[in-house]
Amino acid sequence: MTRTTTTTRPTDGLHSWLRCCHFFIVLRLGYGFVRDTNTATLGRPVVSISSNNPSQRQLAVSLAMATRDSTPSRSSKSESATVSTVKRQLDVAFVSPLIQYGYKPAVEALESGSDAKKPVLLYLPGFDGTFLSPFLQFPELDTIFDVRCMTVSTKDRSSYQQLKTSVLEYLESTCLLTADSTPARTENDDRRNNTTTESNSNNTKTEKPGKGGVLGRLFSARPRKRPIYLAGESFGGILALDVTLTILKERPDLDLKGLCLINAATCYDRSRLAAEAPRVAEYPSWLYTFGLAKLLPLFTDEFSFHQLLLILKGEGLPSVIDDETREAYMGRVAFSLPFVIPFLDKGTLKHRLNEWLSYGCNYMLSRLPEFKQYPNFRSLIVAGEKDATLPSIDEAERLASSLPRRSSLYVVEGAGHASTCGARVDLAALFRSTFPELRKRKSRTSMKEEAAFGQGPYFGMEPRYDNATIGLSPLKYWSRKYFKRFNAFKEK
């Protein structure tokens, strides 16, 4: 990207003053949005994906499809105590991030049912348990996929195997559909099938799709599979590899098409994180926060802050944020960050280092050679060039030699561990390049030309789509033009 020289103008001070006013006003609005999202949506009743009741498995929503354990009957105090312990320790959820943040095209696709025609992309996060790392990529990925993410709260104490089981059960409940099941959306979402229900106080009549007679019942009973792509970042890369291998070996009923690994932590045992983080977890409480601060340089790079300044000054945007709706989505997520970035206390950090990273890394070392049994399976391997957390480039090359030959390796120039899926990559273009079935006419298979030729902090950035000298007003982030809320559990 070519730098442009600007001169000071009398209106610059006014613009700066307006930005400050916008910040304080929208910070309050953003807090209200996040609080409303968490209480009005995520806090609504959800159904355990591990439930044995088939009808209950369909009540989970793309906005907050959670794997929280269902509550047994409270027949005794001892049972109540057991239930509260389980709920406190197991806190895994599967969400649609674009729906959660009111990204209008995704909400409208959900309302029209067109998103059900897309393959599912399930993102498995790093050991922070959030989907914040790749949030810039989601709008462009939405042009290809129905994007879903796993999230894990800091209260969770799931074992590695419990996380794996949750992912497999979620994929089964969401992507394997029969005549008696519907996609995991809303309870009263009738647009996904042709089922007609007529009810009165005395009886209920249900007509199932398909022609009548024996042939109709046979055809309607056949399962309909949704194509699945898995993406795992850092620890999520370990989990994604394990889930992928399990599906290939044991679950042919699930239509797994491909795998994307981003800075996969299968090299955790050889990383600086393994050398430094366990010591921090043993710090006394009064010193623990300073210990976490010492770990921050492992996750950052030299360009992320400069790119943030380019966005704030209106001098550029990430190449995947190329219109007002996407910029408004980016702004809503940015304003929510102070309220959604998790703080890993000592117990959580120690649990995830030992039970997730260390265990998962050792467990997958012996399983990697089994991928050679599936020579036609495709995978995309992405690594940050400046990753100080893990030896990601060396590990990417090792994984490329261990996985089937139909794998692609891409190194994100200048990217650190936490910013590999930030502004310096076009992840959707890499998916199209690696998986030919995802390509459409005139679809991109590489980063936009101007962004690809940028240098330093300008790599991956483009001039603003509207050539304005100031970004979209934060007061418009929640306007009806750019934001739409999806009421997941609307009363009938």
Side-chain angles (χ1 to χ4, degrees):
M1 181 186 297
T2 305
R3 302 192 185 199
T4 57
T5 304
T6 57
T7 57
T8 304
R9 295 168 301 185
T11 56
D12 285 349
L14 176 61
H15 287 167
S16 299
W17 181 83
L18 287 174
R19 286 194 191 101
C20 291
C21 292
H22 288 164
F23 176 81
F24 288 111
I25 293 172
V26 181
L27 183 62
R28 184 169 184 83
L29 291 175
Y31 171 73
F33 166 73
V34 174
R35 180 188 60 191
D36 193 36
T37 299
N38 290 334
T39 57
T41 306
L42 298 181
R44 291 176 182 267
V46 292
V47 178
S48 170
I49 290 179
S50 60
S51 170
N52 292 324
N53 186 337
S55 62
Q56 288 184 342
R57 296 168 70 93
Q58 307 307 322
L59 300 184
V61 193
S62 67
L63 184 59
M65 290 157 288
T67 59
R68 310 181 195 279
D69 286 34
S70 17
T71 305
S73 60
R74 302 178 180 179
S75 56
S76 66
K77 293 184 178 179
S78 60
E79 285 187 357
S80 297
T82 302
V83 170
S84 65
T85 301
V86 171
K87 290 181 69 176
R88 183 169 61 252
Q89 292 185 345
L90 303 179
D91 198 359
V92 180
F94 294 89
V95 304
S96 176
L98 293 171
I99 303 298
Q100 183 169 322
Y101 278 94
Y103 182 62
K104 194 171 182 179
V107 174
E108 291 176 344
L110 172 58
E111 292 176 342
S112 67
S114 61
D115 66 325
K117 301 176 183 178
K118 300 177 183 177
V120 171
L121 173 65
L122 178 59
Y123 170 81
L124 305 180
F127 81 115
D128 65 321
T130 74
F131 55 76
L132 297 176
S133 174
F135 83 90
L136 289 175
Q137 303 296 326
F138 292 151
E140 183 63 26
L141 287 170
D142 183 61
T143 63
I144 309 173
F145 301 108
D146 179 3
V147 181
R148 314 286 183 91
C149 299
M150 181 176 80
T151 65
V152 189
S153 84
T154 55
K155 298 178 181 179
D156 176 83
R157 291 297 182 268
S158 298
S159 68
Y160 173 86
Q161 293 296 339
Q162 285 173 321
L163 292 177
K164 174 184 171 182
T165 300
S166 295
V167 174
L168 288 168
E169 290 183 344
Y170 173 73
L171 290 174
E172 179 185 356
S173 67
T174 305
C175 303
L176 187 59
L177 310 173
T178 64
D180 295 325
S181 63
T182 55
R185 290 300 187 186
T186 62
E187 181 177 0
N188 61 333
D189 190 4
D190 298 327
R191 67 180 178 281
R192 299 299 176 80
N193 53 49
N194 296 322
T195 302
T196 303
T197 303
E198 297 178 359
S199 303
N200 54 38
S201 59
N202 298 322
N203 57 15
T204 302
K205 179 182 178 182
T206 302
E207 297 178 5
K208 295 178 181 178
K211 299 178 181 179
V214 177
L215 287 177
R217 287 194 294 272
L218 286 175
F219 281 108
S220 65
R222 294 177 61 185
R224 179 170 65 87
K225 302 178 182 179
R226 290 192 71 181
I228 303 167
Y229 293 79
L230 285 178
E233 184 169 11
S234 192
F235 163 71
I238 301 176
L239 194 58
L241 278 166
D242 195 3
V243 170
T244 295
L245 194 56
T246 300
I247 292 175
L248 292 176
K249 294 182 68 174
E250 304 173 13
R251 297 301 306 269
D253 54 331
L254 293 175
D255 189 16
L256 182 62
K257 296 293 190 181
L259 170 68
C260 174
L261 301 173
I262 305 157
N263 294 331
T266 42
C267 56
Y268 170 72
D269 57 337
R270 297 176 278 118
S271 68
R272 287 181 61 188
L273 183 65
E276 300 182 25
R279 291 201 300 266
V280 172
E282 300 298 333
Y283 280 8
S285 299
W286 62 272
L287 194 58
Y288 176 69
T289 303
F290 295 100
L292 287 180
K294 283 178 56 180
L295 297 177
L296 284 179
L298 299 182
F299 297 89
T300 58
D301 60 60
E302 61 178 312
F303 300 121
S304 297
F305 180 71
H306 296 290
Q307 290 185 320
L308 176 61
L309 289 181
L310 290 176
I311 295 172
L312 293 176
K313 293 191 293 185
E315 296 181 8
L317 285 171
S319 63
V320 291
I321 304 296
D322 53 8
D323 62 34
E324 291 178 323
T325 305
R326 294 185 179 188
E327 185 180 2
Y329 156 79
M330 179 181 70
R332 290 193 297 272
V333 177
F335 273 109
S336 76
L337 293 181
F339 314 106
V340 297
I341 293 179
F343 175 79
L344 301 182
D345 57 46
K346 290 175 58 176
T348 302
L349 179 62
K350 187 180 298 186
H351 173 80
R352 295 186 179 184
L353 291 175
N354 295 332
E355 299 294 326
W356 293 9
L357 283 165
S358 182
Y359 175 89
C361 176
N362 294 330
Y363 179 72
M364 279 308 299
L365 283 177
S366 61
R367 299 202 72 193
L368 280 177
E370 299 178 41
F371 275 97
K372 293 296 185 182
Q373 303 173 33
Y374 308 96
N376 294 322
F377 186 75
R378 292 183 182 272
S379 57
L380 167 63
I381 304 170
V382 182
E385 182 188 24
K386 301 296 183 181
D387 188 352
T389 307
L390 304 168
S392 288
I393 293 182
D394 290 344
E395 184 62 10
E397 293 172 348
R398 185 177 78 92
L399 289 171
S401 64
S402 301
L403 294 175
R405 292 184 179 181
R406 301 179 74 179
S407 300
S408 301
L409 172 60
Y410 183 83
V411 176
V412 182
E413 178 185 329
H417 187 77
S419 58
T420 300
C421 286
R424 305 180 72 80
V425 70
D426 187 334
L427 198 57
L430 295 181
F431 267 99
R432 296 187 192 100
S433 176
T434 305
F435 305 101
E437 67 272 17
L438 299 177
R439 298 174 196 167
K440 296 180 180 179
R441 187 179 180 184
K442 297 183 179 180
S443 59
R444 275 199 321 275
T445 56
S446 60
M447 184 183 289
K448 294 177 182 177
E449 185 175 347
E450 187 167 2
F453 283 103
Q455 299 296 317
Y458 291 86
F459 179 77
M461 303 289 286
E462 283 190 318
R464 288 187 54 82
Y465 53 87
D466 54 4
N467 296 317
T469 57
I470 186 172
L472 183 69
S473 169
L475 295 176
K476 295 182 179 180
Y477 290 168
W478 284 271
S479 71
R480 291 183 179 181
K481 185 177 180 181
Y482 310 120
F483 171 77
K484 189 171 186 179
R485 188 183 300 279
F486 176 68
N487 188 359
F489 287 89
K490 190 182 298 181
E491 293 295 332
K492 290 185 179 181

